[in-house]
Amino acid sequence: KILKKCGGLPLAIIAISGLLANKARNEVHSVTEWDQVQTSIGHGLERDSTVEGMMGILSLSYFDLPHHLKACLLYLSIFPEDFEIEKRRLVQLWVAEGYIHAQPTCTLYELGEKYFNELINRNLILPGNMNKWTGEVDACLDFIMCKSTEDNFVVVHDGIPRPAPPPGIKVRRLSLQGDATLHSNQIYANVRSIISFGFPCCLLGFRFLRVLHVMGTFFGNHHLANIGELAQLRYLGLSDTRITKLPEQIGALQYLET
């Protein structure tokens, strides 16, 4: 019955199989749990394989996640489409963002690895080159992006004209993709995280920034000239840039961990 309701769509089948497999591992009465899933799906995809029906299936998988995994999943919307995500980098970002909470039995990184593997087990992340410990976001990226926008979780600047955030909305995370150059202003005064995929941004004014990851040859040594003013910075990532020297100001960053 569940398979029939998936309407033959591979993504729907993959998403639901991840959800059901998790319930089979964790629930004693798995047949009852599966029956509840079957009832929740409805008959939308069976009759008409629409985007709305597919979103409904993905919503089931999302809302079945524990709270901490929801944040980790939505964070994937900060990466561009078809981007191969290195597990080590992603887990370090999760830790810096505060999504991983300490447990006495393992380190924060080890716990983050468990979160990563859990999302793979639920078929929400596709394993990539396992020799490099990478993963790729599945086609459910559209759902993640919609949910992220709805919850004001990540604001993406990718050169496509978009309406400015409504007055009073605090932007916490910025993803700069494509032809997007950002300069600080009042809207972004409370930004906690900036990840830039190839285009530089002015660091002045981001007093609360905790995560800064930049990549691309547009970045040179001069782009770090004001880094000493980022007093709250916990994570600094520099990938494939022309940066060859860190300024002495970096010694003033008392909270820098990664």
Side-chain angles (χ1 to χ4, degrees), residues 8 51 65 112 144 203 208 232 241:
V51 173
L65 291 172
I144 296 173
L203 299 180
F208 303 106
Q232 304 296 321
T241 68

Side-chain angles (χ1 to χ4, degrees), residues 5-249:
K5 285 187 175 182
C6 286
L9 289 181
L11 177 57
I13 296 169
I14 289 172
I16 285 296
S17 68
L19 173 62
L20 297 178
N22 181 69
K23 290 186 175 297
R25 287 194 302 269
N26 297 330
E27 302 288 349
V28 175
H29 305 292
S30 59
V31 174
T32 302
E33 294 291 322
W34 284 32
D35 190 57
Q36 291 175 354
V37 171
Q38 188 268 137
T39 303
S40 300
I41 294 175
H43 296 274
L45 284 176
E46 184 181 354
R47 292 193 298 264
D48 181 19
S49 300
T50 61
V51 173
E52 289 78 10
M54 188 64 247
M55 289 298 187
I57 291 247
L58 293 173
S59 293
L60 283 178
S61 297
Y62 173 76
F63 287 111
D64 186 64
L65 291 172
H67 179 73
H68 61 276
L69 285 183
K70 288 179 182 177
C72 291
L73 181 64
L74 288 184
Y75 195 75
L76 299 178
S77 63
I78 211 165
F79 296 97
E81 187 174 0
D82 297 326
F83 188 84
E84 189 175 75
I85 303 167
E86 183 184 0
K87 180 178 72 172
R88 180 178 60 86
R89 176 184 300 172
L90 180 61
V91 172
Q92 288 173 339
L93 284 167
W94 284 345
V95 170
E97 296 281 4
Y99 302 151
I100 315 295
H101 301 289
Q103 290 186 2
T105 56
C106 58
T107 66
L108 291 177
Y109 184 84
E110 289 170 343
L111 188 57
E113 282 187 309
K114 292 181 180 180
Y115 290 3
F116 183 91
N117 292 333
E118 178 67 16
L119 291 175
I120 285 183
N121 290 337
R122 290 173 177 262
N123 292 328
L124 295 173
I125 293 180
L126 291 176
N129 185 340
M130 298 311 290
N131 292 328
K132 295 183 179 179
W133 296 100
T134 59
E136 295 178 352
V137 185
D138 201 347
C140 62
L141 179 62
D142 286 341
F143 170 81
I144 296 173
M145 292 293 295
C146 290
K147 189 64 182 171
S148 177
T149 301
E150 178 185 319
D151 294 349
N152 191 38
F153 194 84
V154 173
V155 171
V156 176
H157 283 267
D158 54 7
I160 299 175
R162 303 176 189 272
I169 295 296
K170 293 182 178 180
V171 176
R172 301 296 190 189
R173 303 166 196 87
L174 278 174
S175 177
L176 306 181
Q177 306 171 14
D179 188 7
T181 301
L182 181 74
H183 298 282
S184 177
N185 56 38
Q186 192 59 38
I187 295 178
Y188 304 114
N190 295 288
V191 164
R192 301 289 200 273
S193 308
I194 294 178
I195 298 188
S196 179
F197 297 88
F199 283 82
C201 59
C202 174
L203 299 180
L204 291 175
F206 295 107
R207 297 186 297 115
F208 303 106
L209 200 66
R210 298 192 300 186
V211 171
L212 175 64
H213 192 102
V214 298
M215 56 191 75
T217 55
F218 282 88
F219 290 96
N221 292 336
H222 63 284
H223 287 110
L224 298 182
N226 300 305
I227 198 169
E229 298 183 18
L230 306 181
Q232 304 296 321
L233 198 66
R234 299 181 181 181
Y235 175 103
L236 175 63
L238 310 171
S239 300
D240 302 320
T241 68
R242 293 181 179 176
I243 296 172
T244 59
K245 182 181 180 181
L246 296 177
E248 291 185 6
Q249 295 181 38

